[in-house]
Amino acid sequence: MDAPEDADLHLQRASADLLNEFSSSLPRFLWLSPKVGQQSDGEQGCSARKYVKERGTEQLIKLLEPFQEWPQLLDPHLSHFIPLLNSAFLDYLSNHSGHYLRSQRRPTIGIIPLPRGICKVLYTLCKIRGEKVICRFLSNEPKWLDPMLDSFQAWNQIGTPTQEDLTNSHGSMIWEERYIVLLWLSHLMLTPFDLISISSTGPEDFVVEDIELPPETPDIARRVIQICTRHMSLASRERDAATRLLVRLTLRPDMRDICLLDSLLQWALLLLLPQPAASERNPLYYYIGILSYLSGVIASADNSIITPFLVEIFDKIQTITAEETSVSHEIFASALARKLIIKILRSITLQALLADSSASPSNLFSLLDNVLEDVIDQLLIFLGDKDTPVRFAASKALSVIAAKLDPSLAARITEAVIDGLEEDVFWEDIKGGSRVYSQDNIGLSTLRRNLTAVNPLRWQGLVLTLSHLIYRRSPPVEQLAEILKALMIALRFEQRSSIGASVGTSVRDAACFGMWALARRYTTKELLSVNASRIHPTSNPGDGGSVLQIISNAVLLAATLDPSGNIRRGASAALQEMIGRHPDMIREGIPLVQTVDYHAVALRSKALLEVAIGASRVDESYRCLIVDGLLDWRGIGSADSRSRRFAATAIGRLCTTHSAAYMETILGQVQAMLKSLHPRQVEERHGLLLSLAAIVDESRRKWRVENGPNSTDLQSFSGLWDIFSFVCPLADNELTSTALRPHLTSEAACALISALSLATSENMSMTGSVQRPSTESLKSCLNILDLSLLRPEDISIKVSSKAAGDIFQVLDLEQKREIIEDWAGTLKRDQEMGQLRNSNMCLGRIAAMGLVFRHFLASEAPEISRVREDIINALLRQTDPGNEIEARVAAISSLSCGPLTCNRMTIEIARCLESSLVDYSIDRRGDIGSLARLEAISAAGVALSHNLFSPELRQSILGRLCCLAVEKLDKVRFRAWKCLQGNWKFFSAEKPVIYSILDVNSTSTPLYFEQMLSLYPNIVYRLSLLEGYVSASGAGSDALLQASRSALVSFVERFSVPQLIGFCKCLNNTICTNIERSVDRVVVPTLVVYGFLFDAGVFERVQEQGDCWSELFALAQRSQYKSTNIHKLEAAVKLYTGLAQMPAVQRKVTSKLCSMLLHPYPIIRNAAADGLFMLTELEYLRELNWSDSPKKLKSDVQNIRNRLEGDGLIIRTSHSNDHEEALKPARTSVIIHLLFLHFLQTSPLTSSRSDTFPPTSPTVRVSVVVCADTPRNTPPSGSMVPPTSNWLIPDREAEGAAMGIMQASSACRPRC
């Protein structure tokens, strides 16, 4: 497990910018008119705001949130920030307090009162730096006590806050406000003046229910008591602030003089009594508030003040802990309540000890005798609590109490804690493994502790208590041996839960704290006085000459090898303290602490592969220590498979950097451990086999440097071939049974087989000798390999297929042929029987066949050629569309790494790649064909790099790659671009790649799409490019739509009119081609893109191209004919809405939209109605409910048709005057808005019989409003427009517009 990456260094670098931005934003946030040249701090000339933006508040909070990782960075600036907030709040309190209630009556979204914003910022500061630090900067002037109380009661509506108040940003005070104001009131309670002198009314003017207060209680005290009692039952932070305020009020001298302390303590103790059965039960948080108040009073009061109440409070707490009542059940169900009970017991004990030392009355001596023993017993019990905060509180309480006791009594507490660590500990024989309960009959050296039965939660509490005791230096030096023994055991503590997760992390963390405290609190002389022979850890961490060296060795192991990042860091800090405070006592201390750095051990991989190996180079003893640790549970026995792989790699590197004899020793040790394993010790077997593989691999790398292996290496590795026959034979069920996690065993076994095969092959190539493994060893390895290739896991497929490719180097030709024939025959039979359709058991063999292809290239003999053909045919069969996608992907990958890498191309492989590039298979998982496309792109890249395609085929493949490089899936787009980038020479040898693509996100930018559109002029790839582009522009994510559409519009706008017409024809061809293929995935986004381009006004220059738009209209009708695809129908309606702007097809499109008003789908009827309304502005369309049934709407639709055919209809052009400024493109220079005042009723708009008005048509009165550069005040000659019309367009454009109106009945919305 890796620790999170260090953020403190980044925070330290960014803190200056964050603080500067906060400092500059805060005055503007608080004040309306800050003074020029100085900071706004509430002085004259600066007026606080009444309201602030909620978003501005959140921005300030976001600037502060990062400092939670390093709160001390705020300390120099708190004296500037908090007074600003303080003065603005008080200014609002003085001048604008009434506006708070107005904001509740007339709330505005996003606007909050200034106090709310200030309190949110102050709460964030309290959360980061602590309320005690922040409160010191708040104003403590007594004059604000009464106004703040008044405002609190008015703003909070005096009553108990409801759940609506807690969440409503416009209601009464939210919890952050109440929390901060209550904290501020508690700070103001430190005023030295009597409250009676501050109160504005008499003591009888305010009555507090349920509490019998002294008659002399001033009004301010009564109001504060009522506020506190109402907020002490809340579940949020106001409860803590209310308790703190009540404690401050109770302990004031003037309040003690009127016996207010007596009254409130009696009230609190009375509430802890069992309630009658018929009465209403108090909520849990009410009891928590009472306990918090008692804890605060006992901890804060002077001993002379609280002493008379100690006996009664202690008895009450004892009653709660001992008796079975409803109140005790309610309290003990909460970890927070139990924690408060511990605090109360600790405070009572400390007060009793203080009273005893100051010669208190005689009754306290008996109290101390009773309290001390009972409290310590209860705290020892609480050390095993299920909740961590309770255990923390109990351990701290024990250490604080022990620090106040005599050394002899403190030693007894330490002894009790150490004895607790011996409970439920079994002892087992190292050799036999049998459990025993004592050491009487077996020597100590043959025993080891078995901690499987101990409670890890109790162990954490006990070890944490020991650490706290050491931190306060309570244990005497004589007990250090037993303490060190316990801490070193705890530093190695590990348990696994029922699901295999580690549950010993907290124990080791507490032990790190203990080691750190030990180094700080005890001198070198005291630690050296400990007899090292009395320390017996579970496994000796190393050979050390002193106690300090033994401790450092144990801490070094934890700092470099522990699975938890927090423990590695904690152990690193302890090691640094050990070396720094006890100089010259640890071997090579300075180099060691520089290597085992606090930041370097954060990542597990770095700690194992760099820090541990670096520490081993510091001293020989550290190398032996770390290797032994890697062979233990921290390394090859780790619960995390990644950690075991890192540990195995570290073992290989450490062994090969030393002598051959040492490596021989480690190999023997690993094989002995393998031989002693039980079948269910899968993790240990996995780690040990990987270690052997790593040693062999690292030795091979060493051979390359030393120009050959030595005889010791060869002898050692030749014996490893027999490991699966004699040392660690693997049964078939260990590679097939799910309960034994066979993927781990197969991975490790295949890794070792691969390493041995490569080592044997390199040995033969370097030395010229032929030393193949024995037949029996090969048989065992091939059996393991065959079973591993049937595993469906990714890691098993990867490692086993690689092992198959490597072991072929040590097989003879006949063995290779037999294996290939078996694999190919099995795959063919399984495919014919349909056994591969729902199984991934073939993937390993498919992957292996590609990797072994290279072993059949040395000869062109017929039998070798036949083997190559068998491999290619077997792989091609797996690419059949009837197979599962996993098999197809594996086959394409094998073709890529096998035949294509070896420069072998056939027409069948080329066709397979071509079909795989257009694989858009879909199942319940989604576009699973993208997996095949990704692999096909990689395979095509290999073939292109080796120039294996013919020119015609290369052109087709590049076209498909262009399509994929602009499609909607990010991964496919990026992979296709990388392939195109490497083969850009085939597009343009002179034009280089302009825009460099660094990652997947770079393929979702306008610059990328503009670069891809630069291929559009190439006619060969144009249609393919557009086919892919429409999927990104019509069906991609929001960000992809924006980027691709922006690039498309910019690109098309640069077209000339002929080029734009050609572009439209290309899109039409795309639609036509894919309609014939029934490929909706291209047709639908193309229709969507067309609709977008119409909305963008791209086609304004080619409105008169009737043939193009008629073809598009026919294609759109054809695409949606009898379709049930909602997306296609919606895209068609959107297209019709834009297409109606074209004069040549306007009447037909309008008629089509009218017919779609009776479509069976309500969503299509709504879309058609919206489109018609945009075209006609017919209000009647908005009045109808288009969710009604078509039968119900039939008469209404007929009415709409009649209106469209009627006289005086207003037809809109593409942009109405109401939205002209918003919709007008920047390039448009002329916009014509024609208003028809009268139509000939005998020539309906929906008629399609004639394209011209009848000759007898009367004059059509037209009012034309045009924006142009050259005005003209007379209509064009020959037009039928009355001479009173106002023309403001050039001659040619005016004549064209007028003639269009006169000649075409369908041109009801002519445009230039």
Side-chain angles (χ1 to χ4, degrees):
M1 182 185 298
D2 290 338
E5 291 192 17
D6 293 329
D8 46 4
L9 295 179
H10 300 287
L11 175 60
Q12 189 175 13
R13 297 189 188 103
S15 60
D17 295 334
L18 292 173
L19 291 170
N20 288 337
E21 185 176 353
F22 184 85
S23 180
S24 61
S25 302
L26 187 59
R28 296 194 300 269
F29 175 77
L30 298 174
W31 304 99
L32 286 172
S33 53
K35 290 181 179 180
V36 178
Q38 68 177 25
Q39 295 289 346
S40 305
D41 55 0
E43 298 175 358
Q44 286 185 339
C46 301
S47 177
R49 297 180 183 272
K50 301 182 184 69
Y51 307 103
V52 293
K53 293 182 179 179
E54 195 167 9
R55 185 174 61 181
T57 307
E58 297 302 325
Q59 289 174 350
L60 288 177
I61 292 174
K62 286 181 181 179
L63 294 174
L64 294 174
E65 290 285 358
F67 290 95
Q68 291 193 71
E69 296 294 329
W70 203 337
Q72 290 82 4
L73 292 174
L74 283 176
D75 287 351
H77 307 274
L78 292 178
S79 59
H80 169 64
F81 294 155
I82 300 179
L84 282 175
L85 297 164
N86 176 87
S87 56
F89 188 95
L90 296 178
D91 184 84
Y92 184 95
L93 201 65
S94 302
N95 303 321
H96 312 300
S97 181
H99 288 275
Y100 191 97
L101 298 178
R102 295 178 194 172
S103 67
Q104 298 181 32
R105 301 189 193 101
R106 296 190 299 272
T108 303
I109 300 299
I111 301 298
I112 58 176
L114 177 65
R116 185 164 303 174
I118 291 175
C119 289
K120 283 189 171 186
V121 176
L122 284 174
Y123 168 71
T124 305
L125 290 171
C126 289
K127 180 176 64 174
I128 296 172
R129 198 61 192 94
E131 60 186 33
K132 293 181 180 179
V133 175
I134 302 303
C135 282
R136 292 183 302 172
F137 297 96
L138 298 176
S139 174
N140 57 358
E141 297 182 63
K143 67 178 181 179
W144 297 111
L145 181 56
D146 203 45
M148 196 169 290
L149 271 175
D150 293 337
S151 298
F152 184 86
Q153 291 178 321
W155 297 350
N156 201 36
Q157 300 175 354
I158 301 178
T160 302
T162 62
Q163 184 63 29
E164 183 180 358
D165 296 333
L166 295 174
T167 57
N168 186 1
S169 61
H170 296 291
S172 62
M173 299 174 73
I174 61 174
W175 69 269
E176 289 100 332
E177 289 179 279
R178 290 191 290 270
Y179 173 69
I180 293 298
V181 174
L182 288 172
L183 274 182
W184 205 330
L185 287 171
S186 67
H187 188 61
L188 291 173
M189 279 297 156
L190 298 175
T191 177
F193 306 106
D194 291 345
L195 294 183
I196 192 67
S197 64
I198 304 175
S199 298
S200 58
T201 58
E204 301 296 336
D205 293 345
F206 205 90
V207 179
V208 179
E209 300 177 356
D210 302 330
I211 303 177
E212 186 177 349
L213 298 177
E216 302 85 1
T217 306
D219 173 63
I220 285 183
R222 292 175 181 271
R223 295 162 66 189
V224 168
I225 291 171
Q226 186 184 55
I227 290 172
C228 292
T229 54
R230 289 179 181 272
H231 287 81
M232 283 171 63
S233 60
L234 297 179
S236 51
R237 294 291 299 271
E238 307 102 293
R239 183 188 64 251
D240 299 333
T243 303
R244 180 172 179 159
L245 173 58
L246 191 60
V247 170
R248 287 273 176 89
L249 173 69
T250 305
L251 297 179
R252 284 181 55 87
D254 54 337
M255 296 297 102
R256 295 201 311 269
D257 292 342
I258 62 173
C259 298
L260 182 62
L261 176 61
D262 304 53
S263 300
L264 290 178
L265 283 177
Q266 293 301 323
W267 162 76
L269 294 175
L270 184 64
L271 289 175
L272 295 178
L273 291 175
Q275 303 295 324
S279 63
E280 183 179 354
R281 295 179 60 182
N282 291 322
L284 169 64
Y285 288 102
Y286 198 75
Y287 294 117
I288 292 177
I290 297 300
L291 292 173
S292 180
Y293 168 70
L294 291 175
S295 174
V297 168
I298 300 172
S300 303
D302 292 337
N303 184 258
S304 58
I305 298 171
I306 199 63
T307 295
F309 306 99
L310 290 180
V311 175
E312 187 175 2
I313 297 173
F314 181 73
D315 291 341
K316 185 62 63 180
I317 297 299
Q318 286 291 86
T319 302
I320 293 174
T321 57
E323 296 183 2
E324 297 288 336
T325 63
S326 59
V327 175
S328 62
H329 280 298
E330 190 83 17
I331 290 175
F332 269 83
S334 168
L336 182 55
R338 298 196 301 274
K339 179 181 176 181
L340 289 171
I341 288 177
I342 292 173
K343 286 186 175 182
I344 293 173
L345 292 175
R346 182 189 74 183
S347 299
I348 291 175
T349 306
L350 294 178
Q351 291 285 8
L353 289 171
L354 186 59
D356 180 48
S357 62
S358 58
S360 300
S362 59
N363 62 330
L364 281 174
F365 290 101
S366 60
L367 170 64
L368 179 60
D369 295 338
N370 295 329
V371 165
L372 189 58
E373 186 175 351
D374 292 343
V375 168
I376 290 175
D377 288 342
Q378 291 186 34
L379 292 178
L380 289 172
I381 295 172
F382 277 124
L383 289 178
D385 195 273
K386 63 179 180 178
D387 293 299
T388 302
V390 179
R391 297 194 300 273
F392 279 7
S395 62
K396 184 177 179 180
L398 275 172
S399 65
V400 171
I401 292 172
K404 299 293 183 180
L405 293 174
D406 292 335
S408 59
L409 295 176
R412 291 176 59 186
I413 294 178
T414 305
E415 185 179 353
V417 173
I418 294 174
D419 291 342
L421 293 172
E422 296 295 335
E423 297 175 1
D424 299 327
V425 175
F426 294 150
W427 292 83
E428 63 181 11
D429 189 0
I430 296 176
K431 298 179 180 179
S434 58
R435 291 184 181 180
V436 294
Y437 293 92
S438 66
Q439 308 172 23
D440 297 337
N441 299 324
I442 306 177
L444 183 63
S445 60
T446 64
L447 289 181
R448 63 182 175 190
R449 282 182 175 82
N450 187 309
L451 304 178
T452 55
V454 301
N455 183 357
L457 301 180
R458 179 165 174 77
W459 261 63
Q460 189 222 8
L462 293 168
V463 175
L464 190 60
T465 304
L466 272 182
S467 302
H468 275 295
L469 290 169
I470 295 171
Y471 182 73
R472 289 176 171 80
R473 196 173 160 74
S474 297
V477 178
E478 292 76 15
Q479 287 185 317
L480 284 182
E482 295 298 324
I483 293 174
L484 283 172
K485 177 180 173 182
L487 289 178
M488 293 184 68
I489 295 172
L491 203 57
R492 295 174 48 85
F493 183 88
E494 174 65 355
Q495 271 192 11
R496 301 282 177 85
S497 65
S498 57
I499 60 173
S502 174
V503 293
T505 305
S506 58
V507 179
R508 301 197 301 275
D509 193 22
C512 286
F513 173 44
M515 291 296 189
W516 176 84
L518 189 74
R520 289 178 65 93
R521 298 304 183 194
Y522 290 88
T523 64
T524 304
K525 183 178 180 181
E526 290 172 335
L527 291 174
L528 291 178
S529 65
V530 178
N531 187 358
S533 62
R534 296 178 59 188
I535 302 174
H536 300 287
T538 305
S539 179
N540 192 0
D543 182 19
S546 66
V547 172
L548 282 170
Q549 187 65 54
I550 293 175
I551 297 172
S552 300
N553 290 347
V555 174
L556 174 63
L557 280 179
T560 54
L561 307 182
D562 198 276
S564 173
N566 287 337
I567 295 172
R568 292 195 299 273
R569 285 180 157 183
S572 174
L575 183 64
Q576 183 177 355
E577 288 290 330
M578 198 80 64
I579 294 173
R581 293 183 179 272
H582 308 282
D584 301 327
M585 300 306 302
I586 289 109
R587 284 191 293 267
E588 302 296 335
I590 300 302
L592 182 64
V593 77
Q594 290 174 342
T595 303
V596 189
D597 182 67
Y598 178 83
H599 300 286
V601 297
L603 295 177
R604 184 86 197 271
S605 57
K606 187 175 182 180
L608 285 170
L609 299 179
E610 297 181 20
V611 179
I613 295 176
S616 68
R617 297 192 183 105
V618 173
D619 190 81
E620 179 69 17
S621 62
Y622 297 143
R623 182 181 56 80
C624 299
L625 176 78
I626 289 174
V627 170
D628 291 342
L630 287 170
L631 291 173
D632 205 352
W633 66 269
R634 289 189 179 106
I636 54 93
S638 178
D640 180 24
S641 59
R642 289 182 68 248
S643 299
R644 292 195 296 273
R645 296 184 189 107
F646 292 143
T649 305
I651 291 174
R653 293 179 183 178
L654 286 172
C655 290
T656 53
T657 55
H658 206 258
S659 63
Y662 181 75
M663 186 180 68
E664 183 73 20
T665 302
I666 298 301
L667 287 174
Q669 185 178 350
V670 171
Q671 293 183 66
M673 294 174 69
L674 275 171
K675 197 170 185 178
S676 64
L677 290 179
H678 300 294
R680 290 194 173 274
Q681 291 181 285
V682 179
E683 295 170 348
E684 289 80 359
R685 183 188 299 110
H686 179 250
L688 291 170
L689 290 175
L690 287 178
S691 300
L692 292 176
I695 293 173
V696 176
D697 283 334
E698 292 296 331
S699 297
R700 282 195 304 108
R701 297 185 181 94
K702 183 179 178 182
W703 294 350
R704 296 170 189 170
V705 177
E706 298 178 354
N707 298 322
N710 56 49
S711 58
T712 305
D713 291 345
L714 295 178
Q715 185 177 0
S716 301
F717 295 159
S718 61
L720 290 179
W721 278 107
D722 300 328
I723 197 167
F724 298 116
S725 302
F726 305 105
V727 178
C728 182
L730 296 177
D732 289 354
N733 69 324
E734 292 181 281
L735 294 167
T736 57
S737 176
T738 306
L740 295 177
R741 287 173 289 176
H743 62 283
L744 296 177
T745 304
S746 66
E747 176 201 351
C750 290
L752 180 57
I753 292 172
S754 176
L756 291 173
S757 301
L758 291 174
T760 303
S761 175
E762 289 192 15
N763 172 39
M764 290 190 293
S765 63
M766 289 181 179
T767 62
S769 61
V770 179
Q771 296 182 356
R772 289 191 174 91
S774 64
T775 304
E776 186 176 354
S777 299
L778 272 180
K779 183 179 179 181
S780 300
C781 292
L782 290 175
N783 180 59
I784 292 171
L785 186 60
D786 195 45
L787 293 174
S788 299
L789 288 172
L790 298 177
R791 299 301 313 161
E793 297 85 9
D794 291 341
I795 186 65
S796 298
I797 294 170
K798 178 181 177 181
V799 180
S800 61
S801 60
K802 181 181 182 302
D806 294 336
I807 201 173
F808 265 51
Q809 300 181 50
V810 298
L811 299 178
D812 56 34
L813 180 60
E814 189 62 30
Q815 289 175 316
K816 298 176 185 177
R817 290 177 53 191
E818 290 177 359
I819 292 173
I820 294 298
E821 289 176 1
D822 177 59
W823 288 352
T826 302
L827 289 174
K828 185 177 181 180
R829 287 193 303 272
D830 290 345
Q831 187 175 14
E832 292 173 351
M833 297 174 62
Q835 295 182 5
L836 298 183
R837 184 168 296 276
N838 297 314
S839 174
N840 292 331
M841 296 179 65
C842 65
L843 302 182
R845 289 178 175 175
I846 294 173
M849 293 183 79
L851 291 172
V852 302
F853 187 86
R854 57 191 170 92
H855 298 294
F856 298 95
L857 300 175
S859 172
E860 295 295 332
E863 59 273 14
I864 302 298
S865 300
R866 190 164 50 253
V867 173
R868 291 198 297 266
E869 292 176 2
D870 290 343
I871 293 176
I872 293 175
N873 292 334
L875 293 177
L876 288 174
R877 280 195 297 270
Q878 300 309 313
T879 62
D880 186 86
N883 291 334
E884 287 290 315
I885 186 63
E886 291 82 5
R888 283 152 38 204
V889 170
I892 297 171
S893 177
S894 289
L895 289 172
S896 175
C897 67
L900 295 181
T901 303
C902 299
N903 295 330
R904 302 285 174 159
M905 170 64 77
T906 65
I907 188 63
E908 290 82 6
I909 296 177
R911 290 173 181 170
C912 170
L913 294 181
E914 199 171 12
S915 62
S916 298
L917 287 173
V918 292
D919 190 338
Y920 288 90
S921 305
I922 295 176
D923 67 358
R924 63 182 182 275
R925 293 173 288 179
D927 184 9
I928 58 172
S930 62
L931 302 174
R933 299 200 299 275
L934 285 169
E935 285 301 329
I937 291 169
S938 300
V942 173
L944 287 170
S945 64
H946 290 76
N947 201 17
L948 302 179
F949 292 122
S950 64
E952 297 79 9
L953 194 56
R954 182 177 65 232
Q955 181 177 303
S956 175
I957 293 293
L958 288 174
R960 295 314 310 165
L961 290 174
C962 289
C963 176
L964 296 174
V966 287
E967 78 153 45
K968 64 181 179 179
L969 293 184
D970 294 346
K971 289 184 178 180
V972 177
R973 202 165 57 249
F974 179 68
R975 184 80 62 88
W977 164 252
K978 297 302 289 185
C979 183
L980 287 177
Q981 188 177 17
N983 298 277
W984 198 258
K985 59 185 178 181
F986 294 115
F987 297 105
S988 175
E990 299 177 357
K991 188 176 182 180
V993 176
I994 302 172
Y995 182 50
S996 178
I997 304 301
L998 303 176
D999 53 20
V1000 176
N1001 295 329
S1002 300
T1003 61
S1004 300
T1005 60
L1007 288 175
Y1008 170 76
F1009 285 104
E1010 288 177 8
Q1011 180 167 271
M1012 290 304 303
L1013 285 172
S1014 66
L1015 299 177
Y1016 176 82
N1018 194 323
I1019 301 176
V1020 176
Y1021 308 115
R1022 181 176 297 172
L1023 291 178
S1024 298
L1025 183 68
L1026 288 180
E1027 185 176 321
Y1029 203 101
V1030 294
S1031 71
S1033 295
S1037 61
D1038 290 343
L1040 190 62
L1041 288 177
Q1042 293 176 7
S1044 59
R1045 290 181 175 184
S1046 172
L1048 182 62
V1049 170
S1050 300
F1051 182 73
V1052 174
E1053 282 179 350
R1054 295 192 292 268
F1055 282 168
S1056 63
V1057 171
Q1059 288 175 328
L1060 188 57
I1061 295 172
F1063 176 76
C1064 296
K1065 290 181 178 180
C1066 286
L1067 288 179
N1068 291 348
N1069 289 340
T1070 301
I1071 297 176
C1072 182
T1073 304
N1074 288 281
I1075 288 176
E1076 293 172 356
R1077 299 174 183 170
S1078 300
V1079 183
D1080 283 353
R1081 63 175 175 80
V1082 178
V1083 173
V1084 175
T1086 307
L1087 296 176
V1088 172
V1089 170
Y1090 248 133
F1092 162 73
L1093 293 176
F1094 277 119
D1095 287 344
V1098 170
F1099 301 127
E1100 289 180 354
R1101 294 178 289 162
V1102 291
Q1103 292 189 40
E1104 303 302 329
Q1105 301 298 321
D1107 294 341
C1108 179
W1109 305 129
S1110 297
E1111 180 187 6
L1112 175 60
F1113 178 61
L1115 289 173
Q1117 285 186 302
R1118 184 180 168 190
S1119 69
Q1120 61 129 124
Y1121 179 67
K1122 291 186 178 180
S1123 175
T1124 58
N1125 187 332
I1126 297 292
H1127 297 297
K1128 183 192 290 186
L1129 294 169
E1130 287 181 319
V1133 172
K1134 185 73 172 176
L1135 173 63
Y1136 293 148
T1137 305
L1139 196 58
Q1141 303 170 9
M1142 304 297 124
V1145 293
Q1146 190 173 53
R1147 190 173 62 178
K1148 297 178 182 179
V1149 174
T1150 307
S1151 177
K1152 180 63 178 177
L1153 284 174
C1154 287
S1155 67
M1156 296 189 77
L1157 293 175
L1158 294 177
H1159 195 277
Y1161 295 159
I1163 190 172
I1164 304 304
R1165 297 198 293 272
N1166 275 291
D1170 291 341
L1172 276 175
F1173 178 77
M1174 294 294 295
L1175 294 170
T1176 65
E1177 291 186 345
L1178 186 61
E1179 290 293 333
Y1180 186 62
L1181 289 164
R1182 300 176 61 182
E1183 298 171 1
L1184 297 176
N1185 181 11
W1186 296 104
S1187 297
D1188 291 339
S1189 64
K1191 287 185 179 180
K1192 210 172 187 180
L1193 294 169
K1194 192 171 184 180
S1195 60
D1196 297 320
V1197 172
Q1198 186 61 41
N1199 188 15
I1200 293 172
R1201 285 182 178 273
N1202 295 336
R1203 292 196 182 194
L1204 291 176
E1205 295 169 358
D1207 194 16
L1209 177 65
I1210 300 175
I1211 302 293
R1212 297 179 58 204
T1213 57
S1214 61
H1215 303 291
S1216 69
N1217 285 336
D1218 295 337
H1219 304 286
E1220 184 176 357
E1221 293 301 324
L1223 299 178
K1224 178 177 62 176
R1227 63 188 180 280
T1228 306
S1229 60
V1230 179
I1231 298 180
I1232 301 178
H1233 189 191
L1234 297 179
L1235 178 62
F1236 284 82
L1237 303 178
H1238 181 69
F1239 277 99
L1240 183 64
Q1241 295 183 359
T1242 59
S1243 179
L1245 289 174
T1246 56
S1247 174
S1248 60
R1249 293 175 297 172
S1250 174
D1251 291 337
T1252 62
F1253 284 108
T1256 57
S1257 300
T1259 302
V1260 180
R1261 297 193 304 274
V1262 185
S1263 174
V1264 184
V1265 181
V1266 187
C1267 299
D1269 297 331
T1270 306
R1272 181 175 177 85
N1273 296 323
T1274 58
S1277 60
S1279 71
M1280 299 180 64
V1281 181
T1284 55
S1285 300
N1286 182 26
W1287 289 88
L1288 295 175
I1289 58 176
D1291 294 350
R1292 191 184 309 168
E1293 296 177 4
E1295 291 175 4
M1299 294 303 295
I1301 299 169
M1302 297 293 297
Q1303 293 175 1
S1305 63
S1306 61
C1308 55
R1309 296 173 58 220
R1311 302 175 61 193
C1312 289

